[in-house]
């Protein structure tokens, strides 16, 4: 790891000022940033510790919504009583993230802002497009973990488990900084990278996620998070799906279907949502929704399986919620 | 008296003639009827408390005053020629003490002369280019960034089949075929055998590269005391490291001392010295300070060895009544940049079944990747997967139960030599294992537990392997004047529990409580030669020498005791650390006799006797797996695995069970999730980390039901023991793969059985590529 300066920010305003310095990075749990620094993918001159910032801490039950501070650890989300009771989909997503040790250190904010896991991006001897180079090596390479949806010059997938679950819950993210400030739907927080912006969120260099708020679900609302992994623990999703449904009697009222592991950002499958809206769920409708979720998918040499997997997971999630 | 004889020796599935000095063959083997008080009892590790309290010092724990650290600069290119190297900027970095490159280092031949300590020709990404020695590792890494290297990139090849093509880039002057020719085996006439067959099946199999991923990475620490070199090395072969270092540096062997008390795994990848060992020694000499060089996880996974990937073709012919008429097995193994032996996988096909006509061909191929190393039963894991899959296909074609087919072709004698086996408990293993898994009821269990989306399947695999151990191996047992004893050997404890087993053997022979025995090993200077701890040979080699030494010591002790106590020797026995007068029942603690003898010391000496000349020694086993395959997600879950193995007498059932569990877990990783990925265009390894290279976690491990057929082998050695380190990994992938084929009604011919592979098999149309 290269030498760096370490400063602790007493409050948000100070952190934002500190981050304006050249080559500064925000540090919370450090489970992603420190590994990138050890591997010399990132070599910041200064780390700004956020853990001392009060405004970013805590889980609060407001009347019509739940507030989760960006510094809340994944373990806290996994085991928090309110979350388990009202937003089981979020608790499930947290539980299925990484390993116990990583969940004890990793935070909500860090989980949303983490770098991609693409093994070309992470390779110390390669400067891929996302790292400022010219080539996305994954497109012609071993792309079994890569995107099947969304056209982007970089085909790495957004790796968060929490993000699809939070988007399915209509979460709103609170941002603070120079370039962005205020509340934004979490769905809009994530962007596909392009030539102008080789990154995955709307955050500028001195912008921070302060926390997210989740509206209180309707009494008839039910959700599920399913994740396909290469082993039972400590694995990013091959494909994951977050589904949150409001039922109107036996029919589906509003629906949210969000896929993880299939695109450069959490992928909201609106056409799949449309398939089931106002209908009574059954096997064939679930199948149809699954197919709609991956309509237009264009896999690469090694990730065609994800099309089937995503389709089947959507179907399974819907049928589970209909039980 | 020592005798010089030539005998057949087996190592890691390879057989060769060797001249050996035989002694220690005068001890009557412990027969099957022998009763024990310590041997055969479960015993926790005698060094367990050191291990769990942090007292155990591993190579990584060696910290000496003034110690320096080293790190290698490694090539980012898979194939290149170094044109120029400049270290001047790096040398100026504060804290840098020395930098070694081809310009200032001795030209030490490496990998059987295929390369050098620092070679200007680079043959894989990750190969050593330079080594920086500095005050700490962080300074080393900063210095590596400052070394300027000009490479001339050369065309590279990472695929074994492509490397065999005429126009492929050549890694070595002699070409890309390891040893220049295939390794072949034949008996009978396979063409005739296939003509006689009523059914013939053929399959093409592919297995992946697996990485050892020892918890403790490879590394060495070195210090010079005058002209004596002392090395701590995380190794499976202290004497091998000593000999390699002595040869490389031109030192007499008595000036090189190699120590290894504890290690975090080897699995075949730590059978000799590394470049890190030589550089630590060179740097310690140059700087006059102790130097430690450890690989990090990434380095470990790039160059510390691997199980080579294979392409295998297996063809089997059988008659209508299930008698095998012919087996043909071809293997092409990707051995990376350097190899001295052909890493074939056809061993099981030549030795497992009574088939008169067998032909096997093994091609080892050089490619621009990190070199192969032995990995727990090299070749046999991969070969058994392919062979046992084809056996199931023969069974299916003939409508014979897979287990029944194996019994109909049971080899009563070794099919390669016609000699009988010393012991063969495979029939018993089949019997017990099939009962434990519910083999007869499996159709019913499948029907009851399968759903529309989750399919249950059952499969089995058989195991054959060596594990005889053999000479030379020596031991000394010293009896102290307080009635305690020290067992001295020159072997090494690689984590299997060999130390505890040797204490049990000594305690049994001496009739001392095990608490009064200590076992010393892992030091070439004070230890007595022992072979490398590989090939499942440690206990079967060193254990008999320990017994010999203990018997010798006991004989002397009784002799001395009889004289001191004035009791006829025939009336005297030792029991629980006391002399017991059988006639009078009078007990005298052993230490009591020393009151008259002061510091008299009894020293017993033992050596490993020869292996039987007229019989063949093998270990056997069978495993049975029950899996669930989710046909919507492609996920394979191993629900239950039953393992029953025969490796002669069991000395410590607890440690043996650990070996079975460890082998099965490593086998399930190979079957389901472990796989090294290499970019075919760039020639770079993509998943050299523990996050991306998927080793099973505790959450992936099912109920393991493991048992031994305790069958003391009267011919193999004076203990009746054979090795158990490697056998349990051998049939696991075969059993799992056969169970998955049973669940799906469709076979997957490649490992691992990952979700993508299962889904691509079930939904072949999903493999369409993005149209560009």
């Amino acid at each position: 790891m290269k030498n760096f300066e370490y400063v602790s920010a007493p409050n948000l305003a100070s952190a934002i000022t500190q981050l304006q310095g050249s080559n500064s990075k925000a540090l919370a749990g450090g489970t992603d940033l420190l590994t990138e620094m050890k591997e010399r993918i990132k070599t910041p001159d200064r780390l700004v510790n956020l853990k001392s910032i009060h405004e970013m801490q805590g889980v609060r039950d407001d009347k019509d919504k739940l507030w989760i501070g960006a510094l809340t650890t994944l373990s806290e989300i996994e085991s928090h009583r309110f979350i388990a009771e009202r937003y089981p989909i979020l608790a499930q997503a947290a539980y299925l993230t990484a390993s116990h040790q990583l969940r004890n250190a990793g935070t909500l904010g860090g989980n949303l802002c983490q770098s991609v896991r693409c093994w070309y991006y992470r390779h110390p001897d390669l400067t891929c497009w996302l790292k400022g180079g010219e080539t996305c090596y994954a497109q012609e390479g071993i792309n079994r973990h890569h995107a099947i949806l969304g056209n982007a010059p970089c085909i790495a997938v957004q790796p968060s488990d929490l993000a699809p679950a939070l988007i399915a819950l209509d979460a709103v993210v609170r941002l603070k900084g120079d370039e962005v400030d205020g509340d934004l739907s979490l769905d809009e927080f994530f962007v596909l990278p392009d030539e102008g912006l080789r990154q995955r969120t709307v955050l500028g260099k001195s912008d921070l996620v302060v926390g997210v708020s989740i509206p209180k679900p309707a009494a008839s609302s039910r959700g599920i998070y399913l994740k396909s992994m290469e082993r039972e623990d400590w694995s990013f999703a091959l494909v994951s799906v977050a589904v949150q449904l409001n039922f109107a009697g036996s029919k589906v009222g509003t629906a949210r279907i969000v896929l993880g592991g299939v695109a450069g950002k959490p992928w909201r499958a609106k056409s799949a949502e449309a398939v089931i809206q106002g209908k009574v769920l059954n096997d064939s409708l679930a199948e149809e929704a699954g197919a709609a979720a991956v309509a237009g998918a264009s896999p690469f040499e090694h990730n065609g399986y994800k099309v089937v997997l995503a389709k089947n997971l959507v179907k399974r999630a819907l049928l589970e919620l209909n039980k | 008296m020592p005798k010089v004889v030539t005998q057949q020796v087996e190592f890691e599935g390879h057989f060769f003639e060797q001249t050996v000095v035989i002694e220690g063959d005068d001890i009557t083997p412990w027969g099957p009827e022998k009763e024990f008080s310590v041997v055969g009892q479960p015993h926790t590790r005698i060094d367990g408390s050191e291990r769990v309290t942090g007292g155990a010092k591993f190579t990584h724990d060696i910290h000496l005053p003034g110690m320096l650290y080293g790190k290698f600069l490694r090539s980012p290119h898979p194939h290149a020629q170094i044109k120029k190297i400049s270290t001047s900027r790096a040398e100026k970095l504060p804290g840098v003490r020395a930098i070694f490159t081809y310009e200032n280092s001795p030209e030490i031949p490496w990998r059987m002369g295929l390369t050098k300590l620092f070679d200007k020709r680079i043959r894989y990404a990750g190969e050593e280019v330079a080594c920086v020695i500095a005050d700490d590792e962080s300074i080393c890494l900063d210095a590596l960034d400052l070394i300027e290297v000009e490479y001339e990139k050369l065309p590279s090849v990472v695929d074994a089949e492509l490397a065999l093509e005429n126009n492929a880039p050549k890694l070595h002057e002699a070409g890309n075929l390891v040893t220049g020719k295939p390794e072949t085996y034949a008996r009978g006439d396979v063409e005739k055998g296939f003509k006689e067959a009523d059914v013939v099946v053929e399959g093409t199999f592919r297995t992946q590269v697996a990485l050892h991923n020892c918890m403790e990475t490879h590394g060495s620490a070195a210090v010079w005391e005058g002209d004596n070199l002392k090395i701590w090395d995380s190794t499976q072969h202290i004497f091998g490291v000593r000999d390699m270092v002595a040869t490389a540096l031109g030192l007499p062997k008595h000036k090189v001392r190699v120590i290894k008390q504890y290690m975090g795994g080897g699995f075949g990848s730590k059978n000799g010295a590394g470049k890190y060992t030589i550089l630590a020694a060179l740097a310690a000499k140059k700087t006059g300070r102790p130097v430690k060089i450890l690989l990090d996880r990434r380095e470990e996974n790039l160059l510390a060895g691997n199980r080579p990937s294979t392409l295998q073709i297996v063809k089997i012919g059988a008659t209508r009544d299930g008698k095998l008429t012919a087996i043909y097995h071809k293997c092409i193994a990707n051995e990376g940049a350097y190899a001295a032996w052909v890493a074939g996988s056809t061993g099981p096909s030549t030795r497992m079944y009574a088939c008169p006509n067998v032909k096997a061909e093994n091609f080892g191929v050089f490619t621009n990747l990190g070199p192969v190393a032995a990995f727990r039963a090299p070749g046999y894991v991969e070969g058994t997967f392919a062979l046992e899959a084809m056996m199931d296909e023969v069974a299916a074609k003939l409508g014979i139960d897979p287990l029944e087919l194996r019994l109909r072709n049971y080899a009563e004698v070794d099919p390669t030599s016609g000699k009988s086996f010393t012991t063969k408990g495979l029939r018993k293993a089949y019997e017990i294992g099939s009962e434990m898994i519910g083999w007869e009821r499996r159709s019913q269990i499948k029907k009851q537990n399968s759903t529309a989306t989750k399919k249950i399947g059952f499969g089995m695999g058989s195991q054959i392997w060596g594990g005889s151990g053999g000479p030379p191996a020596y031991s000394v047992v010293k009896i102290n004047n307080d009635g305690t004893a020290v067992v001295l050997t020159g072997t090494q404890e690689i984590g299997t529990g060999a130390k505890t087993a040797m204490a049990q053997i000594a305690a049994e022979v001496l009739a001392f409580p095990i608490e009064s025995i200590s076992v010393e090993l892992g030091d070439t200077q004070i230890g007595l030669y022992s072979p490398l701890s590989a090939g499942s040979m440690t206990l079967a080699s060193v254990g008999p020498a320990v017994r010999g030494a203990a018997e010798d010591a006991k004989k002397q002790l009784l002799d001395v005791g009889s004289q001191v106590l004035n009791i006829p020797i025939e009336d005297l026995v030792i029991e629980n650390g006391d002399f017991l007068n059988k006639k009078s029942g009078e007990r005298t603690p052993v230490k009591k006799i020393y009151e008259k003898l002061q510091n008299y010391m009894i020293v017993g000496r033992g050596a490993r006797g020869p292996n039987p000349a007229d019989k063949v020694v093998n270990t056997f086993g069978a495993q049975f797996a029950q899996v669930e395959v989710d046909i919507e997600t492609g996920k394979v879950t191993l629900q239950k695995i039953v393992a029953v193995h025969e490796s002669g007498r069991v000395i410590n059932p607890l440690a043996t069970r650990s070996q079975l569990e460890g082998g099965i877990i490593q086998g399930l990783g190979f079957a389901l999730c472990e796989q090294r990925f290499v970019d075919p265009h760039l020639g770079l390894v993509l998943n050299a980390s523990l996050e991306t290279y998927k080793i099973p976690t505790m959450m992936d491990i099912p109920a393991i039901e493991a048992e031994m057929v305790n069958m003391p082998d009267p011919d193999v050695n004076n203990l009746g023991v054979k090795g158990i380190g490697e056998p349990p990994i051998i049939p696991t992938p075969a059993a799992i793969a056969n169970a998955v084929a049973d669940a799906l009604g469709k076979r997957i011919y490649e490992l691992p059985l990952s979700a993508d592979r299962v889904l691509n098999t079930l939904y072949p149309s999903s493999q369409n590529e993005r149209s560009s």
Side-chain angles (χ1 to χ4, degrees):
Chain A
M1 200 183 282
K2 293 270 190 196
N3 287 340
F4 57 86
E5 181 193 358
Y6 176 89
V7 292
S8 220
N11 53 45
L12 260 181
S14 153
I16 291 161
T17 311
Q18 296 279 9
L19 285 167
Q20 285 159 355
S22 72
N23 205 6
S24 297
K25 289 275 173 218
L27 174 72
T31 56
D32 187 27
L33 179 60
L34 294 184
T35 57
E36 286 192 274
M37 289 170 64
K38 282 181 189 166
E39 287 159 19
R40 302 190 170 216
I41 297 164
K42 290 195 173 132
T43 50
D45 298 324
R46 177 196 284 170
L47 289 189
V48 181
N49 173 34
L50 306 178
K51 279 169 283 191
S52 43
I53 301 174
H54 182 69
E55 300 105 297
M56 296 173 77
Q57 292 169 357
V59 177
R60 272 200 319 276
D61 184 29
D62 291 346
K63 270 201 203 82
D64 55 343
K65 57 182 188 289
L66 187 80
W67 165 262
I68 309 176
L71 291 172
T72 309
T73 65
L74 273 60
S75 294
E76 288 169 312
I77 293 175
E78 174 191 346
S79 56
H80 198 282
R81 191 164 55 86
F82 287 156
I83 297 174
E85 280 170 10
R86 291 178 212 164
Y87 312 95
I89 180 177
L90 183 57
Q92 289 162 18
Y95 169 72
L96 290 170
T97 301
S99 64
H100 274 293
Q101 293 91 331
L102 288 164
R103 293 197 293 276
N104 285 340
T107 64
L108 166 66
N111 187 267
L112 297 178
C113 299
Q114 65 185 302
S115 296
V116 299
R117 305 305 307 182
C118 172
W119 46 30
Y120 294 94
Y121 170 79
R122 300 260 167 184
H123 201 288
D125 297 328
L126 293 175
T127 305
C128 73
W129 180 87
L130 192 62
K131 286 197 277 191
E134 288 171 3
T135 311
C136 172
Y137 297 102
Q139 300 196 16
E140 299 294 319
I142 308 292
N143 40 39
R144 65 202 306 271
H145 296 138
H146 293 76
I148 54 169
L149 287 159
N151 274 314
C154 157
I155 62 166
V157 296
Q158 207 285 337
S160 169
D161 285 304
L162 297 185
L166 286 167
I167 292 171
L169 291 167
D170 287 332
V172 169
V173 62
R174 176 158 302 160
L175 308 172
K176 189 86 187 157
D178 281 350
E179 294 175 42
V180 291
D181 203 314
D183 289 354
L184 184 68
S185 130
L186 187 61
D187 195 16
E188 292 171 65
F189 171 74
F190 294 103
V191 292
L192 292 178
D194 62 34
E195 273 305 333
L197 194 69
R198 296 191 186 193
Q199 63 180 55
R200 320 231 141 212
T201 70
V202 299
L203 291 184
K205 71 182 281 277
S206 57
D207 299 333
L208 291 169
V209 171
V210 185
V212 299
S213 59
I214 316 171
K216 187 170 261 181
S220 69
S221 190
R222 289 207 295 277
I224 189 168
Y225 185 75
L226 299 179
K227 179 181 181 184
S228 173
M229 296 188 263
E230 286 169 293
R231 63 181 166 200
E232 287 288 304
D233 192 34
W234 190 29
S235 257
F236 288 91
L238 294 172
V239 174
S240 67
V241 60
V243 179
Q244 189 77 24
L245 303 180
N246 286 336
F247 286 89
S250 61
K251 290 178 180 165
V252 175
T254 56
R256 293 287 180 271
I257 300 175
V258 188
L259 293 163
V262 297
K265 62 177 192 174
W267 196 259
R268 186 159 159 205
K270 287 188 180 163
S271 51
E273 294 170 3
V275 166
I276 58 169
Q277 225 124 24
K279 305 235 175 78
V280 176
L281 272 173
N282 57 35
D283 278 19
S284 65
L285 196 66
E287 175 100 29
E288 200 186 318
V294 294
S298 56
F300 291 87
E301 185 181 355
H302 300 284
N303 66 359
Y305 75 96
K306 281 194 177 187
V307 180
V308 181
L309 185 52
K311 176 173 172 271
N312 289 343
L313 280 183
V314 168
K315 175 184 156 193
R316 177 170 292 182
L318 292 173
L319 292 176
E320 281 292 320
L321 289 177
N322 200 40
K323 269 183 185 166
Chain B
M1 284 298 285
K3 293 187 291 283
V4 179
V5 300
T6 299
Q7 67 168 216
Q8 205 188 22
V9 176
E10 176 268 348
F11 180 66
E12 306 261 311
H14 291 250
F15 295 82
F16 42 93
E17 296 266 295
Q18 218 172 47
T19 301
V20 292
V21 178
I22 295 301
E23 50 183 327
D25 55 348
D26 50 344
I27 292 172
T28 312
W30 281 336
E33 69 299 333
K34 164 88 178 162
E35 285 178 15
F36 298 97
S37 54
V38 191
V39 160
Q41 303 301 313
H43 205 286
T44 54
R45 289 170 189 263
I46 60 168
D47 54 1
S49 65
E50 291 103 286
R51 287 173 181 273
V52 298
T53 56
K57 288 277 177 280
F58 292 71
T59 300
H60 280 226
D61 296 320
I62 302 300
H63 297 287
L64 300 173
M67 189 167 246
L68 301 174
Y69 299 83
K71 275 281 159 203
F72 285 97
L73 180 69
R74 300 187 176 279
S75 168
H77 307 297
H79 205 180
Q81 190 75 23
I82 301 175
K83 302 311 268 182
K84 214 174 121 189
I85 187 161
S86 168
T87 57
S88 54
R89 284 175 64 214
E91 281 160 26
K92 290 188 189 110
L93 191 73
V96 171
R97 304 292 169 175
I99 300 180
F100 293 87
T101 68
Y102 64 82
E103 287 184 333
N104 64 351
S105 303
E107 278 211 11
I108 295 169
W110 203 251
R111 300 265 179 198
M112 309 298 282
L114 289 170
T115 180
K116 290 178 281 200
L117 184 63
F118 287 113
D119 197 335
K120 288 165 86 167
R121 176 81 171 274
I122 296 297
R123 295 184 182 84
Y124 65 93
E127 189 155 22
E128 294 81 359
V129 171
C131 181
V132 170
I133 307 297
D135 291 352
D136 64 41
E137 284 195 355
S138 170
I139 297 171
C140 291
L141 292 171
D142 284 344
L144 295 184
D145 287 350
L146 300 173
I147 298 176
E148 292 148 283
V149 188
E150 195 184 305
Y151 296 97
E152 178 197 343
K153 287 197 238 174
L154 302 173
S156 63
V157 60
V158 293
D159 180 281
E161 288 158 80
L162 295 179
L164 286 179
E165 288 179 4
N166 283 334
N167 56 352
K170 294 268 173 289
L171 272 91
H172 301 284
E173 249 172 60
N176 291 342
L177 200 54
V178 176
T179 71
K181 57 180 193 303
E183 194 180 84
T184 58
Y185 168 86
R187 69 170 177 263
D189 179 346
V190 276
E191 291 314 318
K192 185 171 144 276
F194 284 120
K195 280 195 195 111
E196 288 164 7
D198 296 314
V199 293
V200 174
V201 298
E202 182 174 343
T204 301
F205 297 85
R206 286 175 195 276
T207 63
Q208 75 279 27
V209 164
L211 301 169
H212 299 69
N213 267 310
C214 311
M215 285 304 287
E216 183 187 35
T217 59
H218 289 56
S220 304
V223 64
W224 290 82
E225 291 161 351
D227 58 356
N228 296 294
L229 172 61
K230 195 194 276 186
I231 291 174
W232 289 262
D233 190 80
S234 181
T235 182
Q236 296 171 236
H237 195 196
I238 52 170
F239 282 95
V241 172
R242 180 198 67 174
D243 292 358
M244 276 178 79
V245 170
T247 304
L249 302 183
L251 294 167
K253 290 181 181 176
H254 72 300
K255 293 289 179 191
V256 183
R257 178 177 189 177
V258 177
I259 300 169
K260 200 293 300 288
Q261 293 299 328
Y262 294 91
M263 82 190 279
F267 311 110
S269 69
K270 293 180 176 171
N271 290 346
K275 288 187 182 177
Y276 48 84
T277 319
I278 306 298
L279 263 302
L282 288 173
K285 183 87 178 171
K286 187 167 182 174
T287 60
R289 290 165 64 170
V291 173
K292 182 159 78 170
I293 305 179
L294 305 174
L295 301 190
D296 64 22
R297 182 59 54 186
R298 181 181 159 72
E299 293 174 298
E300 185 79 3
N301 280 341
L302 288 182
L303 58 102
N306 60 65
R307 185 188 295 281
S309 58
T310 66
L311 165 66
Q312 302 179 63
I313 296 166
V314 180
K315 188 175 167 188
I316 299 184
T319 60
R320 213 163 280 117
D321 60 350
K323 284 279 184 196
L324 301 188
T325 58
I327 302 175
Y328 171 70
H329 193 159
K330 176 182 173 177
C331 171
I332 298 174
N334 186 337
E335 302 203 38
Y338 306 106
W341 42 281
V342 178
S345 68
T346 61
S349 288
T350 63
R351 311 181 66 80
M352 174 61 83
Y353 295 112
C355 175
N357 307 299
V358 177
K359 186 177 169 186
E361 299 173 293
N362 293 288
F363 297 80
V365 185
F366 290 120
T367 60
N368 291 110
L369 284 164
V372 60
F375 190 164
R376 206 170 189 168
Y380 275 57
V381 178
E382 308 88 306
T384 300
F385 157 65
L387 171 67
E388 291 291 76
M390 285 289 94
M391 286 298 281
D392 269 21
E393 291 203 1
V394 171
K397 270 206 161 172
L398 293 171
I400 298 174
D401 182 281
L403 176 54
E404 174 59 25
L405 181 74
R406 285 158 175 93
L407 288 169
R408 285 189 198 176
N409 294 286
Y410 194 84
E412 300 290 352
V413 296
D414 170 31
T416 65
S417 65
K419 291 179 184 174
S420 53
F421 297 109
T422 52
T423 54
K424 179 167 181 175
L426 182 57
R427 200 185 294 279
K428 194 84 189 154
Y430 284 145
E431 192 186 307
I432 299 170
S434 60
E435 180 62 33
M436 283 163 73
I437 195 86
W439 188 252
E440 292 300 324
R441 302 187 310 278
R442 67 189 191 282
S443 304
Q444 196 188 331
I445 300 171
K446 278 170 66 173
K447 206 173 286 171
Q448 278 170 0
N449 296 293
S450 293
T451 68
T453 56
K454 295 186 177 171
K455 306 295 179 194
I456 306 291
F458 286 81
M460 62 168 297
S462 318
Q463 171 255 317
I464 185 167
W465 182 248
S468 66
Y474 309 93
S475 175
V476 159
V477 168
K478 308 186 281 184
I479 298 179
N480 295 316
N481 63 6
D482 64 350
T484 61
V486 178
V487 177
L488 178 62
T489 80
T491 187
Q492 49 274 309
E493 166 66 87
I494 64 167
T496 56
K499 209 179 197 178
T500 305
M502 290 188 287
Q504 286 178 277
I505 292 162
E508 184 71 48
V509 174
L510 295 170
F512 281 14
I514 195 167
E515 295 73 28
S516 63
I517 310 276
S518 66
V519 177
E520 292 301 323
L521 42 65
D523 186 332
T524 57
Q525 206 69 335
I526 58 171
L528 306 136
Y529 181 84
S530 288
L532 72 171
S533 291
S536 303
M537 65 193 287
T538 305
L539 189 59
S541 300
V542 187
V546 171
R547 185 184 160 207
E551 297 281 5
D552 185 19
K554 183 184 185 178
K555 202 167 136 223
Q556 297 177 47
L557 185 62
L558 284 170
D559 202 353
V560 170
S562 138
Q563 294 175 53
V564 172
L565 299 170
N566 229 341
I567 300 170
I569 195 160
E570 55 275 17
D571 293 344
L572 203 58
V573 290
I574 303 171
E575 199 186 86
N576 200 26
D578 296 334
F579 288 108
L580 175 66
N581 184 334
K582 282 193 287 186
K583 283 224 172 100
S584 68
E586 189 191 343
R587 303 180 80 94
T588 314
V590 164
K591 68 175 177 189
K592 197 86 181 162
I593 66 161
Y594 282 98
E595 284 171 4
K596 293 179 183 164
L597 299 171
Q598 293 88 33
N599 284 312
Y600 174 81
M601 176 174 258
I602 285 171
V603 181
R605 182 177 180 280
R608 169 61 153 87
N611 282 338
D614 53 346
K615 287 187 180 177
V616 172
V617 183
N618 279 109
T619 58
F620 298 94
Q623 292 184 12
F624 296 82
Q626 179 184 332
V627 302
E628 178 196 85
V629 186
D630 185 329
I631 58 167
E632 287 187 329
T633 63
K635 182 179 159 57
V636 176
T637 305
L638 180 59
Q639 294 186 317
K640 182 176 170 182
I641 188 149
V642 165
V644 185
H645 289 262
E646 185 266 303
S647 280
R649 169 174 278 120
V650 175
I651 300 289
N652 185 355
L654 200 58
T656 304
R657 189 178 166 84
S658 289
Q659 287 302 305
L660 294 176
E661 290 176 355
I664 289 165
I665 292 165
Q666 230 165 12
L668 106 84
F670 190 67
L672 298 181
C673 49
E674 293 188 38
Q675 179 172 20
R676 184 191 72 180
F677 288 95
V678 173
D679 183 281
H681 314 295
L682 303 168
L684 300 177
V685 173
L686 298 171
N687 61 334
S689 75
L690 283 174
E691 189 255 302
T692 49
Y693 180 86
K694 304 289 184 188
I695 289 168
T697 67
M698 285 307 284
M699 306 269 286
D700 296 275
I701 299 164
I704 295 174
E705 293 184 18
E707 279 199 13
M708 293 299 291
V709 180
N710 195 357
M711 190 180 258
D713 187 330
D715 297 314
V716 63
N717 53 53
N718 66 34
L719 304 174
V721 306
K722 298 185 283 192
I724 192 62
E726 286 154 304
I729 193 179
I730 293 172
T732 312
I736 293 173
N738 282 342
V740 170
D742 181 48
L744 295 177
K746 211 170 192 181
R747 183 169 298 281
I748 299 171
Y749 294 87
E750 297 181 23
L751 293 181
L753 299 164
S754 48
D756 59 331
R757 208 159 260 138
V758 173
L759 290 173
N760 287 340
T761 304
L762 293 174
Y763 305 83
S765 63
S766 68
Q767 287 182 76
N768 60 328
E769 289 176 37
R770 179 180 289 228
S771 47
S772 46

